[in-house]
Amino acid sequence: MMQDPVRTGIPGLDEVLLGGVQRNNNILVEGAPGAGKTTLGLAFIHAGAALYDEPGVIVSFELDPEKLLRDARGFSWDLQRLIDERKVRIIQTSPGVLLNEFRSSEGAFTAELAAIGARRLMIDGLTPLRLYAEVNDKPFREDVHLLIDGLARLGVTTLVTAERADTKGEPHAHERFIFDTIISLTRTEVRRRVHRTLSVVKSRGQDFISGSHAMRIESGGGLQVYRRAQSRPKIDEDQPTSSKRVSAGCAALDLIMDGGLYEGSITMVTGISGTGKTVLGVQFLTSAVLAGRRALLVTLDEHPRQLIRNAASLGFDLEGLMRQGTLFIHYESPLELELDVHFDRVAKLVEKEGIDCIVFDSVAVYEMANADQASDFLYALADFVKGRLATAFFNYESPELLGLSQISEELKGSHLVDNIILLSYVEISTRLRRAIAVPKVRGSKNIQTTREYVIAEGGISFLDESVVEGDDTTPVPQLPFSSYYGLLARSPSRKSPVIEDAVAHGKALPESPELPPETAP
């Protein structure tokens, strides 16, 4: 643990830095234009003066002080008040003047810092110093060493911004070797959306969380860093387990799964569109709430208002459960989804509200948002859920019903879940009927049977194949599923021992279950 670290005060960044940076470190913040270097520097100075009683000085070579104040106001940072209270000072100067000041230990610049008791310093930026050296035919390396030596005498924690081109193979600039802490910012476009990331390249005298972390700059809020989901520490190195069962919301399904879901397990519900994945998720959460648990529905495919309306048509009062404070719905548009940001929001909601049961509808959106990170993200999500002993559904829309070895090309998630529930349509004669199978239930003796189900009031329910009713209106008998082969392959055949025996010996065919009446849309 660091002794007396300098906290940046930037939400999420101190978490990445494991508390802050070493006091009196010289920090280099590098990145391409628009990456957020100056904004990060302003946030560093503002937080020091406003939150930690550490006055700061801003040195600007190019930006007018009024523009800096204007930008700060856009983030609700009242720099002018801090200036009036002599906690912040903005100095606009030239590279040559500043370097001359550092050649003396008793110059006007040193006096300015001493006058307000400065503990932090921001120099925006290093690129004008480089250009000054080139124009005046001076070795920039010597100027950088002069700057570092001068900063060491001042006894302040300094943040310096520097332009860096996003060009692979570019040689490392000399200043990267002599600064104590390097924070690299990037700005990229993904499907015409702007994504910003932050990574700590090095920080002498401390540990930190490596890798790229999401960063956002928001009007009225400022800068926010979201640590990468994969870096989340486990809540308990010895993963908690439980022998308690949680109902899936359907008694017949619980029977197939040997008594329901284990508490703390993850179930992947997969099937093509319209097979009832969301319905089963709502059914599961409603049952969980009635059992005294707290539930969360993370919806990425459907807006909450539409979801609430559709659930009400099946008899589920989601709005009432939300008013009671036992059910929470979190919605994010898939068009602007950033995985690290999304993970942070969901994790904080789960921890704040003590959520026991979660449905993610649908995890296919994670693949759409970032195919390269989706698989790792799903691992991180599963690890977080299991660490809290929460019971979760991962709904996934997949056109391939029998893709059990992997759910998709990028999102290889079937092996990390405990249970798999398959939902599908089966065409028999001219009618579409729904089939459900549970091929995987860890730690349980699941029944390997394909069953027919319907969606009606109360959600999903299984048809009782022992109760039959003749149907003279259909040209082909609608026999029970037990009379067919190849249901999951979606090419069912009626060639079965039951039928062959009936035909051979003149016996009656198995009677059909009563199907719900078809209604016009």
Side-chain angles (χ1 to χ4, degrees):
M1 296 294 293
M2 288 180 289
Q3 297 295 323
D4 189 27
V6 176
R7 301 186 183 278
T8 66
I10 298 170
L13 181 53
D14 288 325
E15 186 180 358
V16 170
L17 291 166
L18 302 180
V21 298
Q22 290 282 10
R23 190 163 295 280
N24 298 335
N25 263 17
N26 295 318
I27 307 166
L28 180 67
V29 178
E30 58 179 19
K37 302 180 298 297
T38 301
T39 302
L40 192 149
L42 284 176
F44 175 70
I45 294 298
H46 173 266
L51 303 177
Y52 305 117
D53 194 26
E54 295 187 1
V57 173
I58 300 171
V59 176
S60 176
F61 298 129
E62 297 174 325
L63 282 179
D64 182 87
E66 284 302 320
K67 290 184 179 179
L68 289 173
L69 291 172
R70 177 202 63 192
D71 294 344
R73 285 194 296 271
F75 300 125
S76 301
W77 300 335
D78 192 356
L79 274 186
Q80 186 59 59
R81 177 181 62 82
L82 296 173
I83 291 172
D84 296 339
E85 295 175 356
R86 295 183 60 79
K87 292 182 177 180
V88 171
R89 178 88 161 87
I90 300 178
I91 300 174
Q92 187 174 25
T93 186
S94 66
V97 171
L98 182 66
L99 290 173
N100 285 332
E101 286 290 328
F102 279 123
R103 290 187 175 93
S104 170
S105 60
E106 298 180 354
F109 182 71
T110 302
E112 288 282 359
L113 269 64
I116 67 170
R119 305 288 300 280
R120 302 186 182 201
L121 172 64
M122 170 194 171
I123 300 177
D124 189 33
L126 198 63
T127 303
L129 289 169
R130 186 190 301 275
L131 295 175
Y132 168 80
E134 293 174 357
V135 169
N136 292 277
D137 196 24
K138 294 183 177 182
F140 177 65
R141 178 174 294 199
E142 291 184 8
D143 287 344
V144 171
H145 280 282
L146 176 63
L147 176 66
I148 294 298
D149 292 341
L151 293 175
R153 291 196 306 270
L154 292 174
V156 295
T157 304
T158 305
L159 185 151
V160 181
T161 65
E163 296 287 343
R164 179 182 57 79
D166 290 327
T167 304
K168 293 184 178 180
E170 180 185 17
H172 292 305
H174 178 66
E175 59 268 18
R176 300 186 98 224
F177 296 96
I178 59 178
F179 273 82
D180 303 303
T181 300
I182 298 178
I183 297 175
S184 182
L185 308 181
T186 64
R187 179 185 184 276
T188 57
E189 287 194 11
V190 180
R191 297 181 180 178
R192 298 193 293 177
R193 301 191 300 268
V194 173
H195 285 190
R196 289 185 170 88
T197 62
L198 174 149
S199 61
V200 181
V201 178
K202 74 173 185 179
S203 194
R204 291 184 179 127
Q206 68 174 98
D207 196 5
F208 55 86
I209 300 173
S210 60
S212 296
H213 310 274
M215 186 183 82
R216 283 191 172 182
I217 301 175
E218 298 177 349
S219 178
L223 193 146
Q224 169 85 46
V225 176
Y226 301 87
R227 63 182 291 186
R228 59 187 178 89
Q230 294 83 355
S231 70
R232 296 274 169 170
K234 294 182 179 180
I235 295 176
D236 190 341
E237 288 296 330
D238 183 16
Q239 181 179 289
T241 56
S242 173
S243 297
K244 295 181 180 178
R245 297 278 186 168
V246 179
S247 174
C250 172
L253 183 57
D254 289 342
L255 181 63
I256 286 179
M257 302 183 75
D258 196 23
L261 316 167
Y262 275 124
E263 186 179 56
S265 66
I266 297 176
T267 302
M268 180 163 280
V269 182
T270 182
I272 59 178
S273 180
T275 50
K277 299 181 297 296
T278 303
V279 173
L280 184 58
V282 168
Q283 207 167 332
F284 162 63
L285 293 182
T286 302
S287 171
V289 169
L290 293 176
R293 301 177 183 272
R294 297 173 69 79
L296 169 64
L297 175 56
V298 179
T299 173
L300 303 170
D301 287 334
E302 195 173 3
H303 192 277
R305 299 312 308 174
Q306 179 175 306
L307 194 150
I308 290 170
R309 179 203 65 193
N310 295 344
S313 70
L314 296 175
F316 297 108
D317 184 14
L318 299 187
E319 205 158 23
L321 298 180
M322 292 171 66
R323 285 195 300 268
Q324 294 173 12
T326 52
L327 173 69
F328 300 84
I329 297 180
H330 177 78
Y331 171 75
E332 289 188 54
S333 169
L335 297 177
E336 298 294 333
L337 192 68
E338 288 185 70
L339 298 186
D340 291 342
V341 178
H342 173 71
F343 188 102
D344 185 81
R345 291 172 176 172
V346 171
K348 286 179 178 176
L349 180 58
V350 169
E351 291 166 352
K352 177 184 176 183
E353 302 298 341
I355 300 298
D356 302 304
C357 297
I358 315 170
V359 169
F360 295 90
D361 189 36
S362 139
V363 296
V365 173
Y366 301 143
E367 183 181 7
M368 183 191 76
N370 195 320
D372 294 335
Q373 298 179 16
S375 183
D376 287 346
F377 177 82
L378 211 59
Y379 268 100
L381 203 59
D383 188 66
F384 172 76
V385 169
K386 285 179 172 293
R388 294 190 58 85
L389 205 61
T391 310
F393 273 21
F394 286 178
N395 288 352
Y396 184 79
E397 182 173 329
S398 172
E400 295 299 328
L401 183 62
L402 292 179
L404 298 183
S405 60
Q406 62 182 51
I407 295 301
S408 74
E409 184 65 27
E410 288 83 10
L411 194 61
K412 300 174 178 64
S414 58
H415 58 286
L416 66 88
V417 300
D418 302 290
N419 317 308
I420 296 178
I421 298 175
L422 299 176
L423 306 177
S424 181
Y425 287 117
V426 177
E427 182 183 14
I428 299 179
S429 180
T430 58
R431 298 190 64 175
L432 285 179
R433 293 159 67 176
R434 293 184 173 95
I436 186 170
V438 184
K440 175 182 178 180
V441 183
R442 279 180 179 158
S444 303
K445 296 180 180 179
N446 55 306
I447 300 175
Q448 297 283 359
T449 302
T450 301
R451 292 290 304 274
E452 184 173 6
Y453 69 94
V454 295
I455 300 175
E457 183 80 14
I460 284 178
S461 60
F462 289 14
L463 289 182
D464 185 355
E465 295 189 355
S466 63
V467 179
V468 295
E469 187 76 27
D471 186 355
D472 299 330
T473 62
T474 56
V476 177
Q478 299 292 315
L479 302 177
F481 276 6
S482 58
S483 300
Y484 293 88
Y485 285 158
L487 285 168
L488 291 181
R490 286 172 290 183
S491 56
S493 169
R494 290 181 310 192
K495 293 181 180 179
S496 72
V498 175
I499 296 177
E500 290 173 355
D501 181 68
V503 172
H505 298 90
K507 299 178 182 178
L509 292 175
E511 295 183 344
S512 301
E514 182 178 358
L515 299 177
E518 294 185 358
T519 56

